[in-house]
Amino acid sequence: MPWRLSKSLPILLLILCACSPEEEQPTATVSIDAWLPLSVDDREIEVQVAITSAELRKGLMYRESLGTDQGMLFPYNQPQIMTFWMANTPIPLDIGFFDSEGVLIEIHRMYPFDTNRTVSRSEAAQFGLEMNRGWFASNGLFPGARLNLEQVSSALRQRGVNPRDYGLGDTN
């Protein structure tokens, strides 16, 4: 009898491990081409979310236009000085830098095809949001405005990454 028990023990352990609850990982994924809802204060927008290093490097390059309330969100794993440029980007843009709490800390103008770097002044920047030139001002959004981090968490999950990897609590 001990022989049979010892042979069935690994199978029993495998079954128990498969049935044990584990931390749920994001499974639903959408591509960078998906437009996801986001808001800054009470202004609703749609964003594409750059996740991979290739997406972060490419950004909005080669785009001919953006809708009035469309942009691209660049989330980073931790606060840092952020650097962006406009090589191969024909659209005039503004970029807003947000800290880890979702507070808008800086807005910078960016010029089509400019290869000079746009650098955040603050080391606290964690999220970059590129929008059409003048979008922040025309919507009355200035430093102190807030990015909805629950929606950022949802967008990250939809892109197949864990919001905790970006310092965000998983809200759902």
Side-chain angles (χ1 to χ4, degrees):
M1 195 66 127
W3 180 79
R4 286 188 186 165
L5 182 59
S6 67
K7 281 199 158 218
S8 59
L9 187 58
I11 295 170
L12 180 61
L13 287 174
L14 183 62
I15 291 169
L16 289 173
C17 288
C19 295
S20 67
E22 290 186 20
E23 186 175 322
E24 191 174 318
Q25 295 297 315
T27 55
T29 59
V30 296
S31 77
I32 188 164
D33 297 322
W35 291 102
L36 303 172
L38 192 61
S39 59
V40 180
D41 281 352
D42 63 349
R43 307 309 188 276
E44 294 181 10
I45 60 176
E46 293 180 310
V47 296
Q48 293 176 325
V49 182
I51 296 294
T52 68
S53 58
E55 293 168 353
L56 292 165
R57 276 191 311 276
K58 182 178 178 187
L60 291 171
M61 284 184 184
Y62 311 108
R63 295 283 178 94
E64 296 296 322
S65 65
L66 275 176
T68 303
D69 293 314
Q70 292 182 327
M72 183 168 280
L73 181 68
F74 299 84
Y76 287 86
N77 296 92
Q78 60 189 21
Q80 58 192 282
I81 291 177
M82 291 187 166
T83 303
F84 287 77
W85 69 337
M86 293 285 286
N88 302 310
T89 307
I91 310 167
L93 299 172
D94 283 345
I95 187 163
F97 293 117
F98 296 80
D99 68 13
S100 63
E101 300 296 316
V103 176
L104 180 59
I105 55 177
E106 301 175 27
I107 302 169
H108 297 268
R109 283 191 156 195
M110 299 196 308
Y111 299 90
F113 303 107
D114 188 359
T115 56
N116 293 313
R117 301 197 182 283
T118 300
V119 182
S120 67
R121 291 182 298 275
S122 174
E123 295 178 2
Q126 187 165 352
F127 303 97
L129 177 62
E130 289 182 342
M131 300 294 289
N132 285 307
R133 166 99 38 85
W135 183 86
F136 289 96
S138 67
N139 283 282
L141 298 171
F142 301 99
R146 289 190 163 271
L147 185 64
N148 184 316
L149 294 181
E150 288 182 21
Q151 291 174 315
V152 172
S153 290
S154 176
L156 290 170
R157 279 193 305 279
Q158 289 180 64
R159 285 300 322 273
V161 296
N162 191 329
R164 286 188 212 106
D165 294 342
Y166 294 82
L168 301 173
D170 203 353
T171 57
N172 289 328

